Amino acid sequence: MKLVLIGAPAAGKGTQARKLIARYGLAYISTGDMLREEVAKKSELGLNVKSVMASGGLVSDEMIIAIVKERIKEDDCKNGFILDGFPRTVVQAKKLDELIGNIDKAIYINAPDEVMLERITARETCPKCGASYNKIAIPSKVAGICDVCGEKLEQRKDDTLEAGKARLKTFHDQSEPLVEYYNAQGYLFEVDGLKGADNIFNDIAGELGERA
Ligand code: AP5
């Protein structure tokens, strides 16, 4: 099964992706995580994308397509995968069609900007294991420390109010057209991002059924 997750920043794409992997045994491809790893390693790619990511803009289509093209060739993708954060433009979606043919479903987690901005500014993430918390709604047991691995939690560089607003604008301008793109192809499934994470997952699993 080949799934695409679409949604504004902080809509819950990563949260649902982790649940879907556990249920369907798919490979997980998060272009945001891959880019953040490159930034942390200070690789040439990381140095190139650091400032555009921190400001809430998009990395070039050419660069991101090259990364995904290589990633989907890896062994773990043979039984299917979830793309979280790719495609993010119609250019990327058309390229994905060329690379893999049809997807099975594009899951759009729809949620309003005001709530996403609150989630963005309250988010803390673990740089070691990737666990994600919300200082208000889903705090770690010990403030600032990861429940899973004990690492000190961090705020992502693009989780400031200013960068959050820019990311939302980028989503509406460049990524929202994907909703119509996949709707026209009959692959779109829309879920209400304001529901609890478990309820959203139940909606998605209900749509996907038992297929793997
Ligand atoms: P990326 O890492 O993909 O960031 P994003 O799209 O902004 O998404 P987030 O990771 O912020 O949120 P999410 O939807 O995964 O939500 P999460 O589950 O974490 O990309 C970062 C940057 O990389 C981009 O800005 C761009 O510069 C670059 N980039 C990446 N891909 C690219 C591409 N294809 N082309 C060009 N550039 C690219 O949840 C968020 C918070 O909410 C958490 O605290 C969580 O606990 C909480 N939460 C989740 N679900 C719920 C719920 N149902 N109710 C309440 N709280 C919830």
Side-chain angles (χ1 to χ4, degrees):
M1 184 156 58
K2 293 165 188 162
L3 303 177
V4 163
L5 284 171
I6 304 170
K13 301 181 295 296
T15 302
Q16 295 304 321
R18 281 184 278 278
K19 290 174 180 287
L20 287 162
I21 296 161
R23 166 72 70 92
Y24 295 101
L26 303 168
Y28 178 42
I29 305 176
S30 159
T31 44
D33 284 353
M34 290 165 84
L35 292 169
R36 276 185 291 278
E37 274 170 32
E38 295 299 324
V39 171
K41 279 194 291 191
K42 297 190 169 74
S43 68
E44 192 183 339
L45 171 65
L47 294 173
N48 276 328
V49 300
K50 188 177 175 180
S51 64
V52 74
M53 287 179 74
S55 67
L58 292 185
V59 169
S60 75
D61 286 334
E62 195 184 22
M63 207 179 273
I64 206 81
I65 287 164
I67 294 171
V68 172
K69 190 176 173 185
E70 288 312 303
R71 177 66 184 88
I72 59 179
K73 286 181 193 161
E74 289 178 26
D75 272 356
D76 65 331
C77 294
K78 280 187 186 137
N79 294 325
F81 47 82
I82 299 177
L83 285 159
D84 166 2
F86 182 95
R88 242 178 168 95
T89 63
V90 172
V91 171
Q92 293 177 18
K94 288 183 174 164
K95 190 67 195 179
L96 182 66
D97 291 346
E98 267 175 55
L99 289 173
I100 65 168
N102 293 346
I103 60 164
D104 291 273
K105 204 62 82 180
I107 298 158
Y108 171 40
I109 307 176
N110 190 358
D113 285 9
E114 320 80 75
V115 182
M116 295 309 98
L117 214 46
E118 282 172 20
R119 282 195 200 165
I120 287 169
T121 50
R123 176 165 49 187
E124 290 182 308
T125 50
C126 176
K128 193 171 170 194
C129 73
S132 177
Y133 303 87
N134 179 298
K135 277 185 264 187
I136 302 155
I138 321 166
S140 55
K141 288 180 190 135
V142 178
I145 301 295
C146 180
D147 292 349
V148 182
C149 69
E151 188 77 8
K152 197 165 175 281
L153 298 175
E154 290 180 351
Q155 186 182 38
R156 264 169 50 176
K157 293 275 181 287
D158 59 352
D159 274 349
T160 60
L161 184 62
E162 192 187 358
K165 284 181 179 169
R167 285 159 65 200
L168 285 163
K169 184 173 184 325
T170 301
F171 172 75
H172 292 303
D173 292 348
Q174 301 195 56
S175 305
E176 217 163 40
L178 292 169
V179 173
E180 188 39 45
Y181 181 82
Y182 284 119
N183 191 31
Q185 293 186 6
Y187 296 130
L188 193 77
F189 179 66
E190 182 171 335
V191 281
D192 177 2
L194 289 185
K195 289 185 177 180
D198 288 342
N199 289 332
I200 294 174
F201 177 70
N202 286 338
D203 288 352
I204 298 172
E207 173 71 12
L208 297 177
E210 295 306 315
R211 53 186 160 165

